[in-house]
Every structure is written in C-alpha cells, then in structure tokens.
Amino acid sequence: MHLGNLRTAILNFFIATQSDGKFILRIEDTNEDRSMKEYADYICKDLDWMELRWEEGPKVGGPHEPYFQSERGKIYDKYYEILLKKDLIVSLYLNFLF
C-alpha cells in the first residue's frame, strides 16, 4: 500500500472511531491500466495487518455496496440525471459545444 493511502486510512479510521461513525473501505479502481484485483487484496491485507478493521467494504459487505468505484457508475448516473433535471448542473455534452 502506498504510504499516502495508509496515512489517509489511519486518519479516517480514527475520525470514524472518535465520532461513532463507520470506517468504510471503497477501492478506487477506475484506472483500468493500473487497477488489478490483487492490488485490492493487498490493500485489504495491509489494512488488516495494521489492525485497521473496516466495518463495511470489500470482504465484509454492508448496505452501501458496491465498494469498487468502477462498479458504482449506475449510482452516479442516477444522481447526475436528478441534478440535470433540477437544473443544478449543465450537461457535460453542452460544455463541449461552447
């Protein structure tokens, strides 16, 4: 695991613990060239070794799945459409026209 990722995980773990929140692990795997399943497994193993136990995420489950960013596209599309219908955003397509 990258040292910066570990620092962020530790910080978020303690924030969740101190605020009676949940430590949720989501894997940012949208870069297909650099994202491999074994990398996610290594992250889980490293966090487990550091005793940073996530309450929700890969290998644990929970109500906010999926926990891999690449699998959340339909969720984002749904909210994108809601924002678009409420005129709270401009379509990305229109941005390319101007």
Side-chain angles (χ1 to χ4, degrees):
M1 175 184 288
H2 185 277
L3 193 56
N5 292 341
L6 180 58
R7 180 203 59 193
T8 301
I10 291 169
L11 179 63
N12 283 287
F13 176 81
F14 286 118
I15 289 171
T17 302
Q18 294 299 312
S19 64
D20 293 322
K22 282 188 174 183
F23 181 47
I24 300 174
L25 176 60
R26 184 169 54 207
I27 304 295
E28 303 291 334
D29 65 341
T30 55
N31 184 331
E32 292 180 20
D33 295 333
R34 294 179 38 197
S35 299
M36 298 175 68
K37 184 189 178 314
E38 56 263 22
Y39 296 164
D41 292 338
Y42 294 146
I43 289 170
C44 292
K45 287 178 185 177
D46 290 345
L47 290 175
D48 191 47
W49 180 78
M50 292 291 295
E51 296 186 14
L52 299 174
R53 306 291 194 283
W54 56 101
E55 298 165 79
E56 194 175 325
K59 302 179 189 257
V60 176
H64 299 100
E65 59 184 354
Y67 298 105
F68 287 84
Q69 194 73 7
S70 62
E71 298 172 2
R72 298 179 65 81
K74 289 181 183 178
I75 296 169
Y76 301 138
D77 290 344
K78 173 185 167 185
Y79 288 100
Y80 176 79
E81 289 300 321
I82 290 170
L83 292 171
L84 197 57
K85 287 178 184 174
K86 291 183 177 184
D87 286 328
L88 295 173
I89 59 172
V90 177
S91 172
L92 292 176
Y93 176 72
L94 293 176
N95 288 335
F96 288 111
L97 295 177
F98 298 106

